[in-house]
Amino acid sequence: MKATFLNLFCFLFLISCQKKNEKQLDDFITISDRLGYRYEVSDLVIKTGKFENRIDTEKLGLKKVVLLNSSLLGYFSELNLVDKIIGISSPEYIFDDSIRNKVETGKIANVGNEQKYDLEKIIALQPDAVFTNYVPSFGNTYDILRQSNIEVIFLDEYLETSPLSKSKYLLLFGELFNVKKEAEIRYKKIEDDYHQLRNLAQQATEQPVVLCNEIYGNQWFLPGGKSSAAIYFKDANASYILSDNQEVNAIPFSFEEVFKKAEQAKYWVNIGSYQSKKAMLNINANYAKMKVFQNGKLYMINNREHGLANDYFQSGNVRADLVLKDYINIFHPELFPNENLYYFKELK
């Protein structure tokens, strides 16, 4: 449980942290302020953060790729591109049983983990591209792959502050794998459903106060008021305790500060995995003093969990509509009287 809690905390911290690009992608087809692309003569040019990839259009669509982080799996599943994956790292974090089976049977190679990637195996697989989040300490690894004529594409989707921006990465995958039409259809459906759900949430008469995340050590990192989490809460017609904040980054608070801010909270969401509220007190006994712990409702992101794998961090990256629907169902259950939560589970 401790490992799951730490993984969840790290994700929720990272998801709230974003450094805005100094240069906007005005002349690109814009996915977000972090990602864009355009065609130049015979190349597809991808601009992601401070990095740029130039891929000869004759190499599109990509036939075989390696993923160095499982968070990108949701895009491949959504576009039926799993058969293009020939290698993946840290398979213990894969939620989809069919993909896990491909790794176990050798149809998809296990190329190591974030502690040590098996470079020889990756190079031997001769992938058209390697997809990964950018980690500065792996700079040498990326250089070796590039020297082996392997395209390294950095996609830091977890840094996006707009939920639909994450979903919109589907359009880039559509270009890379020559499934542009399918990607456009899937994204449009997600976007339309998200907007319909947001409009539905506005019909609720109450706007409950929401607390998010947990304390870690002696600090409680709350997502900034412009973060992805805060946008979800707003679109679900809830009042986040930092809704007036203008930061996209996570902000550290002491327990006492959060205790005061959360005095009116009725919901506490995005907590780690626990068997019971009593078990939660083993992490911090001070939780028992909080009104929301005593009388409110608490929700974990673990309804679709398999060992160390959690589908929220895979399909949830793509399906912003399903995440928003869960939040609306939590804050305004009267709008979905006969529907169960998808990613979330209430802690009793």
Side-chain angles (χ1 to χ4, degrees):
M1 184 184 74
K2 183 179 292 184
T4 303
F5 169 71
L6 291 176
N7 288 336
L8 179 60
F9 170 80
C10 291
F11 171 81
L12 293 170
F13 172 67
L14 286 172
I15 202 173
S16 302
C17 299
Q18 177 190 22
K19 295 181 180 179
K20 292 191 174 181
N21 295 331
E22 294 179 359
K23 182 179 179 181
Q24 296 296 313
L25 306 179
D26 296 332
D27 55 342
F28 279 66
I29 297 172
T30 302
I31 300 296
S32 71
D33 61 359
R34 296 192 57 80
L35 175 65
Y37 63 87
R38 69 180 173 192
Y39 285 94
E40 292 182 358
V41 189
S42 60
D43 291 338
L44 171 63
V45 180
I46 305 169
K47 180 73 174 178
T48 171
K50 63 182 179 180
F51 301 100
E52 181 177 284
N53 294 84
R54 306 182 73 91
I55 304 174
D56 191 325
T57 54
E58 291 186 0
K59 296 181 179 180
L60 304 176
L62 301 180
K63 300 284 192 301
K64 49 183 184 177
V65 300
V66 170
L67 306 184
L68 296 187
N69 54 295
S70 59
S71 65
L72 296 175
L73 277 173
Y75 301 99
F76 285 80
S77 296
E78 193 70 26
L79 296 176
N80 296 313
L81 296 172
V82 171
D83 64 328
K84 307 298 183 184
I85 303 171
I86 59 172
I88 192 165
S89 70
S90 304
E92 63 272 20
Y93 293 105
I94 299 172
F95 177 80
D96 190 304
D97 286 336
S98 65
I99 301 176
R100 290 169 65 95
N101 182 259
K102 288 179 182 293
V103 177
E104 292 168 1
T105 58
K107 294 180 180 178
I108 295 177
N110 179 352
V111 297
N113 55 49
E114 63 276 6
Q115 302 300 318
K116 182 176 177 58
Y117 296 121
D118 191 332
L119 282 177
E120 290 185 3
K121 183 180 287 188
I122 295 173
I123 294 170
L125 289 169
Q126 297 184 321
D128 296 327
V130 169
F131 292 92
T132 181
N133 297 145
Y134 175 68
V135 180
S137 60
F138 283 110
N140 186 56
T141 296
Y142 306 142
D143 288 341
I144 292 173
L145 292 173
R146 292 192 189 98
Q147 290 164 13
S148 301
N149 296 316
I150 296 173
E151 198 76 38
V152 180
I153 301 175
F154 300 115
L155 294 177
D156 295 330
E157 81 295 333
Y158 68 96
L159 290 175
E160 296 292 348
T161 56
S162 164
L164 282 173
S165 289
K166 290 185 183 182
S167 302
K168 202 172 182 180
Y169 276 51
L170 285 168
L171 301 185
L172 176 61
F173 285 105
E175 300 288 346
L176 290 169
F177 292 92
N178 280 349
V179 289
K180 180 177 179 178
K181 189 64 177 177
E182 293 90 330
E184 290 174 345
I185 291 172
R186 289 305 304 139
Y187 174 67
K188 186 65 165 58
K189 179 66 165 60
I190 292 169
E191 181 183 44
D192 287 348
D193 287 351
Y194 188 99
H195 290 156
Q196 290 175 13
L197 286 163
R198 184 176 61 188
N199 291 338
L200 175 64
Q202 304 313 305
Q203 298 178 15
T205 57
E206 183 185 10
Q207 193 177 61
V209 178
V210 180
L211 169 65
C212 182
N213 293 5
E214 294 180 60
I215 197 166
Y216 182 67
N218 61 357
Q219 291 187 311
W220 194 316
F221 286 91
L222 292 177
K226 298 298 182 181
S227 66
S228 178
I231 291 172
Y232 270 128
F233 302 151
K234 178 181 178 181
D235 289 347
N237 197 16
S239 179
Y240 175 43
I241 63 172
L242 286 189
S243 60
D244 294 333
N245 180 271
Q246 299 300 306
E247 297 291 328
V248 297
N249 294 347
I251 305 167
F253 290 93
S254 66
F255 174 83
E256 290 74 18
E257 290 173 316
V258 175
F259 179 86
K260 184 176 181 180
K261 290 179 180 296
E263 188 175 2
Q264 302 300 319
K266 292 186 176 181
Y267 294 92
W268 185 356
V269 299
N270 297 11
I271 61 176
S273 296
Y274 299 97
Q275 293 299 314
S276 65
K277 290 176 68 175
K278 183 178 180 180
M280 191 175 176
L281 297 179
N282 293 330
I283 298 297
N284 194 308
N286 286 326
Y287 290 152
K289 303 174 183 177
M290 303 181 73
K291 291 181 180 179
V292 66
F293 184 88
Q294 299 167 6
N295 307 313
K297 287 180 173 290
L298 284 62
Y299 289 87
M300 307 172 287
I301 313 176
N302 69 341
N303 202 36
R304 292 175 61 79
E305 205 169 49
H306 180 74
L308 295 176
N310 189 320
D311 193 35
Y312 178 85
F313 305 129
Q314 291 172 33
S315 73
N317 281 334
V318 187
R319 297 300 304 272
D321 56 332
L322 294 182
V323 177
L324 178 61
K325 186 175 183 179
D326 264 6
Y327 279 128
I328 297 172
N329 199 353
I330 289 170
F331 305 142
H332 310 290
E334 72 279 3
L335 297 178
F336 298 103
N338 301 312
E339 294 195 40
N340 296 321
L341 296 173
Y342 192 73
Y343 295 112
F344 290 78
K345 183 189 297 183
E346 184 176 1
L347 179 65
K348 300 291 187 177

